[in-house]
Amino acid sequence: MNYGEIKKNDIANGEGVRTSLFVSGCRHHCKNCFNQSTWDFGFGEPFTEKTMQEILDACSPHWINGLSLLGGEPFEPENQRVLLPFLIMFRERFPEKDVWCYSGFTFEDITGKNQSRAFTDISSEMLKLIDVLVDGPFVEEKKDISLVFRGSSNQRVIDVKKTLEQNKIVLYLE
Protein backbone atom coordinates (compact mmCIF):
# COMPACT_ATOMS: atom_id res chain seq x y z
CA MET A 1 0.00 0.00 0.00
CA ASN A 2 1.07 3.56 -0.63
CA TYR A 3 0.00 6.69 1.17
CA GLY A 4 -0.34 10.23 -0.07
CA GLU A 5 0.11 12.22 3.11
CA ILE A 6 0.35 12.12 6.89
CA LYS A 7 -1.01 15.12 8.79
CA LYS A 8 0.38 15.10 12.31
CA ASN A 9 -1.76 17.83 13.90
CA ASP A 10 -5.00 17.68 11.93
CA ILE A 11 -8.12 19.40 13.25
CA ALA A 12 -10.37 18.86 10.22
CA ASN A 13 -10.87 15.08 10.02
CA GLY A 14 -12.45 14.07 13.31
CA GLU A 15 -12.83 15.43 16.80
CA GLY A 16 -9.92 17.11 18.49
CA VAL A 17 -6.35 17.15 17.25
CA ARG A 18 -5.50 14.02 15.29
CA THR A 19 -2.92 12.29 13.19
CA SER A 20 -4.42 11.59 9.77
CA LEU A 21 -3.24 9.04 7.23
CA PHE A 22 -4.31 9.54 3.62
CA VAL A 23 -3.98 6.15 1.92
CA SER A 24 -3.58 5.80 -1.84
CA GLY A 25 -5.97 3.89 -4.04
CA CYS A 26 -9.66 4.50 -4.68
CA ARG A 27 -11.99 3.16 -7.35
CA HIS A 28 -15.00 5.34 -6.42
CA HIS A 29 -13.81 8.38 -8.41
CA CYS A 30 -16.42 10.70 -6.90
CA LYS A 31 -17.14 13.80 -8.98
CA ASN A 32 -15.13 16.74 -7.57
CA CYS A 33 -13.37 14.60 -4.99
CA PHE A 34 -11.16 16.79 -2.79
CA ASN A 35 -8.23 14.38 -3.10
CA GLN A 36 -8.19 12.97 -6.65
CA SER A 37 -4.44 12.39 -6.62
CA THR A 38 -4.96 9.54 -4.15
CA TRP A 39 -7.17 7.57 -6.57
CA ASP A 40 -3.99 6.04 -7.99
CA PHE A 41 -2.81 3.06 -5.90
CA GLY A 42 0.78 3.95 -6.84
CA PHE A 43 0.55 7.58 -5.68
CA GLY A 44 2.79 8.78 -2.87
CA GLU A 45 5.19 6.75 -0.79
CA PRO A 46 5.24 3.10 0.29
CA PHE A 47 3.63 2.42 3.68
CA THR A 48 6.47 0.75 5.57
CA GLU A 49 7.38 -0.24 9.14
CA LYS A 50 9.13 3.14 9.37
CA THR A 51 5.90 4.89 8.29
CA MET A 52 3.92 3.01 10.91
CA GLN A 53 6.39 4.03 13.59
CA GLU A 54 6.27 7.65 12.42
CA ILE A 55 2.46 7.66 12.78
CA LEU A 56 2.53 5.93 16.17
CA ASP A 57 5.11 8.45 17.41
CA ALA A 58 2.96 11.31 16.08
CA CYS A 59 -0.01 9.94 18.05
CA SER A 60 1.96 9.76 21.33
CA PRO A 61 1.46 13.31 22.67
CA HIS A 62 -1.40 13.62 25.14
CA TRP A 63 -3.08 16.31 23.01
CA ILE A 64 -3.56 13.94 20.08
CA ASN A 65 -7.09 12.52 20.36
CA GLY A 66 -6.55 9.72 17.88
CA LEU A 67 -5.99 8.51 14.36
CA SER A 68 -8.01 9.29 11.22
CA LEU A 69 -7.91 7.15 8.08
CA LEU A 70 -8.82 8.77 4.79
CA GLY A 71 -7.90 8.45 1.19
CA GLY A 72 -7.99 7.31 -1.27
CA GLU A 73 -10.13 4.56 0.20
CA PRO A 74 -9.17 2.71 3.39
CA PHE A 75 -11.66 -0.08 2.64
CA GLU A 76 -10.33 -0.98 -0.79
CA PRO A 77 -9.43 -4.66 -0.31
CA GLU A 78 -5.73 -4.05 -0.97
CA ASN A 79 -5.62 -1.35 1.69
CA GLN A 80 -7.51 -3.41 4.28
CA ARG A 81 -4.73 -6.02 4.24
CA VAL A 82 -2.17 -3.42 5.29
CA LEU A 83 -4.35 -1.30 7.58
CA LEU A 84 -5.70 -4.14 9.73
CA PRO A 85 -2.36 -5.08 11.33
CA PHE A 86 -1.52 -1.39 11.71
CA LEU A 87 -4.83 -0.73 13.50
CA ILE A 88 -4.15 -3.65 15.83
CA MET A 89 -0.76 -2.09 16.68
CA PHE A 90 -2.41 1.31 17.20
CA ARG A 91 -5.06 -0.14 19.55
CA GLU A 92 -2.46 -2.03 21.59
CA ARG A 93 -0.37 1.09 22.04
CA PHE A 94 -3.21 3.63 22.47
CA PRO A 95 -6.32 1.94 23.89
CA GLU A 96 -7.56 5.33 25.15
CA LYS A 97 -7.42 7.05 21.74
CA ASP A 98 -10.05 6.77 19.03
CA VAL A 99 -9.98 5.89 15.34
CA TRP A 100 -12.03 7.70 12.72
CA CYS A 101 -12.31 6.37 9.18
CA TYR A 102 -13.67 8.09 6.09
CA SER A 103 -14.96 5.72 3.42
CA GLY A 104 -16.87 6.04 0.17
CA PHE A 105 -18.35 2.64 1.00
CA THR A 106 -21.40 2.48 3.23
CA PHE A 107 -21.53 0.54 6.49
CA GLU A 108 -23.77 -1.93 4.69
CA ASP A 109 -21.15 -2.37 1.94
CA ILE A 110 -18.39 -3.02 4.46
CA THR A 111 -20.43 -5.53 6.49
CA GLY A 112 -21.71 -7.47 3.49
CA LYS A 113 -25.35 -6.45 3.74
CA ASN A 114 -24.88 -4.98 0.26
CA GLN A 115 -22.77 -6.76 -2.34
CA SER A 116 -19.49 -4.84 -2.49
CA ARG A 117 -15.76 -5.32 -2.98
CA ALA A 118 -15.33 -3.72 0.48
CA PHE A 119 -16.74 -6.85 2.12
CA THR A 120 -13.76 -9.16 2.58
CA ASP A 121 -12.70 -11.85 5.01
CA ILE A 122 -11.15 -9.11 7.20
CA SER A 123 -13.47 -6.11 6.73
CA SER A 124 -15.50 -6.89 9.87
CA GLU A 125 -12.34 -7.26 11.93
CA MET A 126 -11.05 -3.91 10.64
CA LEU A 127 -14.42 -2.26 11.31
CA LYS A 128 -14.33 -3.41 14.96
CA LEU A 129 -11.13 -1.41 15.45
CA ILE A 130 -12.79 1.83 14.26
CA ASP A 131 -14.80 4.09 16.56
CA VAL A 132 -16.37 6.47 14.04
CA LEU A 133 -17.07 5.76 10.38
CA VAL A 134 -17.97 8.56 8.01
CA ASP A 135 -19.55 6.50 5.25
CA GLY A 136 -20.84 6.91 1.73
CA PRO A 137 -19.47 8.47 -1.41
CA PHE A 138 -19.13 12.21 -1.79
CA VAL A 139 -22.04 13.34 -3.99
CA GLU A 140 -21.48 16.75 -5.58
CA GLU A 141 -25.23 17.38 -5.93
CA LYS A 142 -25.62 16.86 -2.16
CA LYS A 143 -22.63 18.96 -1.14
CA ASP A 144 -23.31 21.02 1.97
CA ILE A 145 -20.50 23.03 3.57
CA SER A 146 -22.50 23.43 6.80
CA LEU A 147 -22.23 19.71 7.60
CA VAL A 148 -19.84 18.64 10.35
CA PHE A 149 -17.09 16.13 9.39
CA ARG A 150 -18.66 15.25 6.03
CA GLY A 151 -19.00 16.81 2.61
CA SER A 152 -22.41 15.75 1.33
CA SER A 153 -25.77 15.07 2.99
CA ASN A 154 -25.89 11.40 1.99
CA GLN A 155 -22.87 10.67 4.18
CA ARG A 156 -23.36 9.49 7.76
CA VAL A 157 -21.17 9.88 10.84
CA ILE A 158 -21.65 6.50 12.51
CA ASP A 159 -20.79 5.38 16.03
CA VAL A 160 -19.38 1.98 15.05
CA LYS A 161 -19.21 0.47 18.54
CA LYS A 162 -22.87 1.27 19.34
CA THR A 163 -23.95 0.22 15.85
CA LEU A 164 -22.31 -3.17 16.23
CA GLU A 165 -23.70 -3.60 19.78
CA GLN A 166 -27.27 -2.65 18.84
CA ASN A 167 -27.25 -4.24 15.37
CA LYS A 168 -28.65 -1.03 13.86
CA ILE A 169 -27.07 2.20 12.61
CA VAL A 170 -26.41 4.59 15.50
CA LEU A 171 -25.25 8.01 14.40
CA TYR A 172 -22.37 9.65 16.22
CA LEU A 173 -23.63 13.02 15.07
CA GLU A 174 -27.24 13.73 14.18
Side-chain angles (χ1 to χ4, degrees):
M1 179 182 87
N2 278 11
Y3 70 96
E5 183 177 7
I6 298 167
K7 290 187 178 180
K8 295 184 179 175
N9 289 287
D10 189 0
I11 58 169
N13 295 302
E15 286 187 329
V17 182
R18 320 187 60 72
T19 297
S20 294
L21 169 64
F22 292 79
V23 302
S24 294
C26 182
R27 295 180 180 94
H28 297 298
H29 296 191
C30 300
K31 178 182 173 187
N32 291 326
C33 169
F34 83 102
N35 208 3
Q36 289 183 20
S37 59
T38 62
W39 291 357
D40 179 356
F41 284 86
F43 176 75
E45 302 293 325
F47 189 78
T48 64
E49 294 284 334
K50 183 178 175 186
T51 311
M52 288 188 254
Q53 193 57 54
E54 178 184 350
I55 294 168
L56 293 173
D57 290 347
C59 290
S60 291
H62 68 87
W63 68 83
I64 299 293
N65 292 64
L67 174 68
S68 292
L69 303 173
L70 306 93
E73 173 56 65
F75 275 97
E76 288 288 1
E78 301 93 322
N79 293 340
Q80 289 182 43
R81 300 252 171 249
V82 177
L83 290 173
L84 177 60
F86 175 64
L87 285 174
I88 292 169
M89 288 172 52
F90 177 84
R91 285 291 185 200
E92 287 172 355
R93 184 156 170 194
F94 302 112
E96 75 287 1
K97 297 189 185 225
D98 63 8
V99 176
W100 281 53
C101 181
Y102 288 76
S103 177
F105 292 107
T106 64
F107 185 88
E108 294 81 5
D109 295 334
I110 295 165
T111 58
K113 187 172 183 179
N114 297 340
Q115 187 173 356
S116 167
R117 69 181 177 275
F119 180 61
T120 68
D121 60 329
I122 63 170
S123 56
S124 294
E125 192 176 347
M126 184 170 149
L127 193 60
K128 289 176 186 174
L129 297 169
I130 294 168
D131 297 288
V132 178
L133 176 70
V134 181
D135 82 334
F138 171 74
V139 177
E140 176 68 27
E141 296 74 28
K142 296 183 178 190
K143 181 179 179 178
D144 182 347
I145 61 169
S146 71
L147 297 171
V148 179
F149 299 123
R150 56 197 174 123
S152 57
S153 61
N154 62 296
Q155 296 171 313
R156 302 173 292 184
V157 183
I158 298 172
D159 184 318
V160 175
K161 304 292 185 213
K162 289 181 182 176
T163 295
L164 293 173
E165 287 170 7
Q166 298 178 26
N167 201 28
K168 67 176 186 174
I169 298 292
V170 176
L171 297 179
Y172 185 79
L173 297 173
E174 296 292 328

